[in-house]
Amino acid sequence: MRVVPPASEDIPQRPDAAELANRQLFGLTALLQLQKRARHARSEQELGFLMVNDTFGLVRYRQALAWQRAERGGGAVLAVSGLSSADADSPYARYACRLLSAHGDPAGIKTLTTADLPEDLAAEWPDYLPAHGLWLPLTAPDDRPLGGLLLAREEPWADGERVLLENLGDAYAHAWGGLVKQQRRWHRDAARLKSLRTLGYVAAGLIALSLFPVRLSALAPAEVIPRDPTVVRAPFDGVVDKFLVTPNQPVTLDQPLFQLDPVRLQNRLDVAQATMEAAEAEYRQTAQQAVFDEKAKGQLVVLQGKRDQAMAEVTYVQDLLKRIVVHAPRAGLAVFADVNDWIGRPVTQGERILMVAEPKDVELEIKLPVADAIAMDAGDPVSLFLNIDPQHPLDATVRLTTYQPEVGTDGVAAYRLKARFNDGQAPVRIGLQGTAKIYGERTTLFYYLFRRPLAALRQRLGV
């Protein structure tokens, strides 16, 4: 029996060794070319386009997408096969982000099917992807997860394809990590350059602002006082007995203002009258004796002097008693603090008791502390902020400045300034207080802000 060999068309064709070697060489060449092109990619977008489209030259698939993991969780689609750019708001991109955020772990390459997914993701899988998916995670050399590559097709994935993709994924991850590092360095350099540029702009702006011309000013306490008052003084030494007017009361010419205690003067008058009567009696007795006695005649001149002196004392005390009630020297406003401050208080001759002033004829008195003094002159403007109405300042003009400071009751040495109110303003009541802002010469904003620190520094350094 002769065995007949089967026809050639019935025997399955198997690749010979040469063809198999050619295929392996082709796959190795494709792998090396993809690795080289990946390392020469100039941006993440270019690398993503290469991964989703040119990987097809190594393994066959129908869809591919590159997914970039975010540092704070989640991620975004970097590239999609067949598209020049990925729309992050498309339903496909949204589904891919939900899928890979939950199952795109960086542990290693793995297959994905609907059996590996929860119901919500598995139900939508057929609408966007073929049946068999392969997840290729990409991790940078410093073990930082970058994202990965999702490939999908209708046929299952072979083990040899997974080995090729693992080697290719290592090259993709290395190239991607370098681009991310370079981009971060560029962003860091750009941010540093931007910060330096911003600092330069800020410095230039501050320098320009510091040279902005402003008017030098100083704040000082101020009080509204009468401009040309008449001072009423004590006519002689005594004690204030009573006041006949109240503070800030309008008075007329010759109206009684206050009265000194008359008791001491009345006693003095009684003594002077008694002394005068005794001198008069002694003079008369001696004058009668002088008719017969030459010695008594010589004493008449001395006794007459004593009598005249006693009479002058009586006349002087009577004149003081007439002036015990002090009258207003003019019509105006009686300006003084409080009646109780004077009742029973001893006063000396010439001591000021009160002032009589015209209520509408007022000016501003400013006490500028020496530490806040600035260069000023008559005619400089002043703004007065009254304590009772600080929102509506009053305008005034300096008319007088003192060159020698005076120490006030608060122990602060201050220059005394007087300013007249400008025309066209409502009259101000005498005694109102507030804060005056005095404007001096023009200077730069830098000197305006650092005037006091510079002065303290010069005092400390002695320059």
Side-chain angles (χ1 to χ4, degrees), residues 86-94:
D87 185 6
D89 295 328
S90 65
Y92 178 76
R94 290 178 180 271

Side-chain angles (χ1 to χ4, degrees), residues 250-277:
V251 296
T252 59
L253 179 63
D254 291 334
Q255 179 177 343
L257 299 177
F258 63 91
Q259 176 181 325
L260 298 180
D261 188 3
V263 174
R264 188 173 66 87
L265 287 179
Q266 189 62 49
N267 294 336
R268 182 178 174 183
L269 177 60
D270 293 341
V271 172
Q273 287 178 343
T275 303
M276 182 188 68
E277 293 175 357

Side-chain angles (χ1 to χ4, degrees), residues 143-456:
D143 297 331
R144 184 175 69 256
L146 302 173
L149 187 63
L150 177 64
L151 306 175
R153 67 184 185 186
E154 287 77 6
E155 301 82 12
W157 295 92
D159 293 338
E161 292 174 323
R162 295 178 58 156
V163 173
L164 289 175
L165 289 173
E166 282 183 336
N167 285 277
L168 181 60
D170 185 70
Y172 283 162
H174 186 274
W176 198 353
L179 289 173
V180 171
K181 187 175 182 180
Q182 180 181 3
Q183 187 176 14
R184 288 185 176 180
R185 186 186 304 113
W186 183 85
H187 282 303
R188 186 169 58 251
D189 295 342
R192 185 181 297 111
L193 181 61
K194 185 177 180 180
S195 300
L196 292 176
R197 187 182 296 113
T198 303
L199 288 176
Y201 290 153
V202 171
L206 290 177
I207 292 175
L209 186 63
S210 64
L211 298 178
F212 187 79
V214 295
R215 195 151 192 174
L216 201 60
S217 62
L219 298 176
E223 182 181 359
V224 179
I225 62 172
R227 190 170 67 88
D228 189 19
T230 300
V231 178
V232 179
R233 305 179 184 275
F236 48 83
D237 296 348
V239 177
V240 178
D241 183 31
K242 59 182 177 179
F243 261 82
L244 306 175
V245 293
T246 58
N248 300 326
Q249 176 185 333
V251 296
T252 59
L253 179 63
D254 291 334
Q255 179 177 343
L257 299 177
F258 63 91
Q259 176 181 325
L260 298 180
D261 188 3
V263 174
R264 188 173 66 87
L265 287 179
Q266 189 62 49
N267 294 336
R268 182 178 174 183
L269 177 60
D270 293 341
V271 172
Q273 287 178 343
T275 303
M276 182 188 68
E277 293 175 357
E280 179 69 26
E282 185 178 5
Y283 175 77
R284 290 179 180 178
Q285 181 179 3
T286 305
Q288 293 176 359
Q289 293 178 359
V291 177
F292 308 102
D293 189 356
E294 291 295 332
K295 184 178 180 180
K297 191 175 182 179
Q299 294 178 351
L300 284 177
V301 177
V302 177
L303 294 175
Q304 184 177 3
K306 290 175 63 177
R307 185 191 63 177
D308 294 342
Q309 182 179 2
M311 294 177 62
E313 177 68 15
V314 172
T315 303
Y316 174 70
V317 175
Q318 289 176 345
D319 182 64
L320 291 181
L321 283 173
K322 293 179 181 178
R323 293 189 294 158
I324 200 169
V325 177
V326 181
H327 298 77
R330 53 175 286 191
L333 203 67
V335 181
F336 62 101
D338 188 7
V339 172
N340 296 323
D341 293 341
W342 293 99
I343 299 298
R345 175 178 169 180
V347 293
T348 59
Q349 183 177 0
E351 183 177 351
R352 188 179 73 174
I353 306 298
L354 54 86
M355 295 185 299
V356 178
E358 175 61 37
K360 296 183 179 180
D361 189 11
V362 295
E363 63 182 359
L364 187 63
E365 183 181 50
I366 306 169
K367 295 181 179 180
L368 179 62
V370 174
D372 298 330
I374 60 174
M376 66 187 70
D377 201 355
D380 289 340
V382 177
S383 294
L384 173 63
F385 300 89
L386 292 173
N387 294 337
I388 63 172
D389 189 15
Q391 295 182 349
H392 300 87
L394 300 175
D395 297 327
T397 304
V398 176
R399 73 171 185 87
L400 176 66
T401 61
T402 59
Y403 294 97
Q404 184 175 359
E406 301 176 357
V407 179
T409 55
D410 54 358
V412 178
Y415 295 99
R416 187 178 181 186
L417 287 74
K418 290 189 176 181
R420 62 176 180 274
F421 289 99
N422 296 343
D423 298 333
Q425 299 182 114
V428 188
R429 182 172 60 84
I430 297 174
L432 291 180
Q433 297 182 351
T435 301
K437 187 174 185 180
I438 309 116
Y439 297 92
E441 59 185 7
R442 290 193 174 274
T443 184
T444 62
L445 181 61
F446 174 81
Y447 182 76
Y448 178 84
L449 295 176
F450 296 97
R451 175 175 61 91
R452 298 190 68 174
L454 289 175

